[in-house]
Amino acid sequence: MSIGEGTDRRGGPDLDPTRPHPARRYNYWLGGKDNFQADRDAGDAIAKVFPHIRTAARENRAFMQRAVRHLTREAGVRQFLDIGTGLPTADNVHDVAQGIAPESRIVYVDNDPLVLSHARALLTSSDEGATAYIDADVRDPQKILDDPAVRETLDWTRPIALQLVAIMHFVEDHEDPWGIVNRLVGALPTGSYLMLSHATFDPLDAETIAKMNAINEGIKPRFSPRSLAEVSRFFTGLELLEPGIVSVQDWRGEPGPRPTAAEATGYAAVARVG
């Protein structure tokens, strides 16, 4: 490993097992064991009104893996900034990227102390590449961009893939999610990429939407599902790769049966910067 090996920037809030966290709830839906009762209770409450939530979680992760694979193999990307990393499971970003190009360099960003603890133990790089992990929140993009681990691990004269997979729907409208993404994308070198997926209620029926909205009132952080038009705003001025902004399971999905849009309930796209 080179610069960035084992980097860990702490200083975030102490771990509170009584409050559910999106990363741990996502881990629960994926069948992981790194979660607390509060996370399982919150996850079960959502699953009760939307039984396909585990499918949606799996499809989001599969999209990430396909997109990383494509950018590494076809676009020659060797650097990834993954914000909202979540708890490590099989085939993480560095597993996929370094499995193709061992020299790939990855920075993981999350604001859950449990994620950082697991990252320190499990997200280890190939000898040729590097991994780093920092404690930061997507709502403070400048802190992420200025972090020494981010500046040292990634070469900011070469393309970087910015990953915002299933994270921006936890940023509410009044927090200006589009401005946050614009700030991050604006800092990327020419030839970089934005990889983004986002929850939506577009394909759901009115009854399910009403139930989801009701349960959302009791969830912290609340999630903000967005329409196709709203998700499209994240990609303003960027060059979308084929097939554009589509239901998450349809972004270069594998041949064969796939979940429906109403089961996956998310949009996904990858776009080139500059």
Side-chain angles (χ1 to χ4, degrees):
M1 273 181 254
S2 54
I3 297 172
E5 175 183 357
T7 305
D8 179 18
R9 309 286 175 174
R10 300 302 295 270
D14 293 334
L15 180 65
D16 182 358
T18 68
R19 297 183 61 184
H21 189 281
R24 301 193 302 265
R25 187 170 61 222
Y26 191 69
N27 173 263
Y28 173 57
W29 286 331
L30 288 172
K33 301 183 184 305
D34 298 309
N35 46 74
F36 298 113
Q37 190 62 48
D39 307 305
R40 296 189 287 274
D41 290 344
D44 287 343
I46 294 173
K48 186 175 181 179
V49 300
F50 183 64
H52 303 296
I53 189 63
R54 290 177 175 83
T55 297
R58 288 194 298 268
E59 291 302 321
N60 249 294
R61 187 157 186 83
F63 157 70
M64 179 275 289
Q65 293 162 348
R66 292 194 304 272
V68 170
R69 198 173 296 119
H70 171 78
L71 290 178
T72 307
R73 282 180 179 158
E74 307 301 327
V77 174
R78 298 294 182 266
Q79 304 187 105
F80 297 83
L81 177 57
D82 181 10
I83 302 177
T85 298
L87 283 149
T89 60
D91 294 330
N92 300 288
V93 176
H94 74 282
D95 295 318
V96 178
Q98 292 181 348
I100 299 168
E103 70 275 20
S104 298
R105 308 169 75 82
I106 297 91
V107 176
Y108 292 105
V109 183
D110 209 289
N111 66 347
D112 181 358
L114 188 62
V115 169
L116 297 175
S117 174
H118 281 67
R120 186 167 58 248
L122 299 175
L123 300 182
T124 55
S125 175
S126 66
D127 290 338
E128 301 91 335
T131 59
Y133 23 89
I134 68 169
D135 180 356
D137 193 303
V138 71
R139 295 172 184 81
D140 190 352
Q142 198 59 49
K143 178 182 177 182
I144 295 172
L145 295 170
D146 290 342
D147 191 284
V150 175
R151 307 310 302 185
E152 294 165 9
T153 305
L154 304 178
D155 179 353
W156 288 79
T157 67
R158 300 177 59 203
I160 296 169
L162 168 65
Q163 297 181 230
L164 298 170
V165 177
I167 182 66
M168 295 312 296
H169 47 241
F170 293 111
V171 182
E172 298 185 52
D173 285 0
H174 70 86
E175 297 172 303
D176 191 14
W178 299 281
I180 290 170
V181 173
N182 186 61
R183 177 69 190 90
L184 290 165
V185 169
L188 296 175
T190 299
S192 294
Y193 291 84
L194 170 63
M195 177 196 312
L196 183 146
S197 66
H198 197 293
T200 184
F201 284 172
D202 280 0
L204 300 182
D205 61 84
E207 181 180 356
T208 301
I209 292 173
K211 291 178 179 178
M212 291 290 281
N213 283 333
I215 200 167
N216 196 20
E217 292 303 317
I219 293 177
K220 293 186 181 300
R222 297 175 75 256
F223 63 95
S224 299
R226 295 189 167 97
S227 67
L228 177 58
E230 291 171 317
V231 173
S232 297
R233 289 179 57 190
F234 290 117
F235 296 96
T236 300
L238 305 183
E239 178 187 347
L240 286 165
L241 302 190
E242 292 292 338
I245 304 172
V246 295
S247 188
V248 65
Q249 82 284 0
D250 288 333
W251 197 91
R252 306 195 179 206
E254 303 296 333
R258 300 176 195 161
T260 66
E263 292 169 338
T265 57
Y267 290 117
V270 179
R272 189 176 185 276
V273 179

